[in-house]
Amino acid sequence: MTIEENFRGFYSNFGIEQDPSKLRHLFDELYHDDFKNELDGTHTLDKVQLWKLQTIVIKNGTVATVLMFKNAKPNVVEYKIHFKGTDELVGKTVHCAYELMDGKICRGRAVDESSITTISKATTATANFNQVQKSAQALFTLFDGVPKPFDEEMNKAFEALYHQDFVHNMDGEPLNKAQWRERLNTFAETGTRILLLKFEPKDEVHFEAGIRVINKNIDVVGYSRGTISGSTLLEIKPHEDSKPSYAMMPGQKVVLAEEHTHIAIAQ
């Protein structure tokens, strides 16, 4: 197959296939391992970062329309591709030119300023979400079911995850950062386990998440929609629309009592 056929074949699946793993082989056939997009002369986008970005776009059902693909010169291709979907990470036309290596897209950059801005914003958002997810996993891993005080290690992980103006809107009235710390202190002392089940960016600053919370009284999966600020978590609130996307855990007990609501959907 030609490079154009590989290119059109890969992007024709956007909006149809929402499981990135099923498209990974097409991605690897198209992009060289040494792929690099020189965003602005200072920052670059490598193949690993590109795949993380593509993964978000694919999961969100974004449609990609190839507007133009041509051989600009020997071993150089130029293309325009328009992304359209519910996400805002990439919602414009991107115009790029790349050198080929071993028949694959390798090194180049966006041709126009708007494309550079679009790709840069998407790359920054992806990096921020990756860091928030990493920080959340680091904190929740410390809630391992063993009763313990909210110690220095937990506090360090807490500070890395939550913004100074963090607000938790899951209960009847909002909890600020200090109040939420006290809630987590209770979780730690009672030997609560917290498992991050799903973390899915929806646009540049919002994501949907699911967690499982387990202690001697409950075993529930919770649903939330979060807002980030940079690489920290700014706000959490219920997001009912996300419920159908989460499966009940085997043997899970459902707790409906109002006083347990914060535990069921805490993030």
Side-chain angles (χ1 to χ4, degrees), residues 7 12 15 17 23 27 35 41 57 68 76 87-88 91 93 122 156 166 175 185 227 229 237 262:
F7 187 88
S12 68
E17 178 57 66
L23 300 182
F27 175 83
F35 170 85
V57 173
M68 178 268 286
V76 175
D87 59 279
E88 297 176 6
T93 298
K156 183 177 180 180
F166 172 74
L175 301 179
N185 180 60
T227 302
S229 175
K237 60 184 179 181
H262 67 274

Side-chain angles (χ1 to χ4, degrees), residues 68 70 78-81 93-97 109-112 115-116 119:
M68 178 268 286
K70 68 179 182 179
E78 184 178 343
Y79 66 80
K80 286 185 180 181
I81 186 166
T93 298
V94 175
H95 185 189
C96 296
R109 61 175 299 164
V111 173
D112 55 71
S115 294
I116 294 173
I119 297 173

Side-chain angles (χ1 to χ4, degrees), residues 97-240:
Y98 285 98
E99 296 178 0
L100 302 181
M101 182 179 293
D102 302 326
K104 297 182 179 183
I105 293 174
C106 189
R107 294 177 180 270
R109 61 175 299 164
V111 173
D112 55 71
E113 192 64 33
S114 64
S115 294
I116 294 173
T117 300
T118 297
I119 297 173
S120 295
K121 286 177 63 179
T123 304
T124 299
T126 302
N128 286 339
F129 280 123
N130 286 338
Q131 184 57 53
V132 170
Q133 183 176 8
K134 181 179 178 180
S135 296
Q137 189 65 64
L139 175 61
F140 296 157
T141 296
L142 298 175
F143 290 83
D144 54 8
V146 179
K148 65 184 72 174
F150 194 84
D151 58 15
E152 182 177 347
E153 184 179 15
M154 282 188 169
N155 189 64
K156 183 177 180 180
F158 177 89
E159 290 294 337
L161 175 59
Y162 296 104
H163 189 276
Q164 62 179 5
D165 296 323
F166 172 74
V167 177
H168 191 291
N169 288 304
M170 289 300 191
D171 296 323
E173 58 184 69
L175 301 179
N176 61 29
K177 185 177 179 179
Q179 292 168 322
W180 180 236
R181 191 197 312 266
E182 287 301 314
R183 183 66 54 80
L184 290 183
N185 180 60
T186 301
F187 285 0
E189 291 178 343
T190 56
T192 298
R193 292 181 63 200
I194 303 179
L195 306 174
L196 182 63
L197 303 180
K198 185 174 183 178
F199 185 95
E200 185 174 294
K202 304 307 294 182
D203 57 37
E204 291 181 3
V205 296
H206 298 106
F207 65 90
E208 291 181 18
I211 65 170
R212 185 181 182 186
V213 180
I214 310 165
N215 60 35
K216 64 181 180 179
N217 297 315
I218 62 169
D219 183 357
V220 295
V221 173
Y223 315 94
S224 61
R225 186 173 178 90
T227 302
I228 67 172
S229 175
S231 58
T232 58
L233 184 50
L234 179 63
E235 183 183 22
I236 281 293
K237 60 184 179 181
H239 189 56
E240 297 299 322

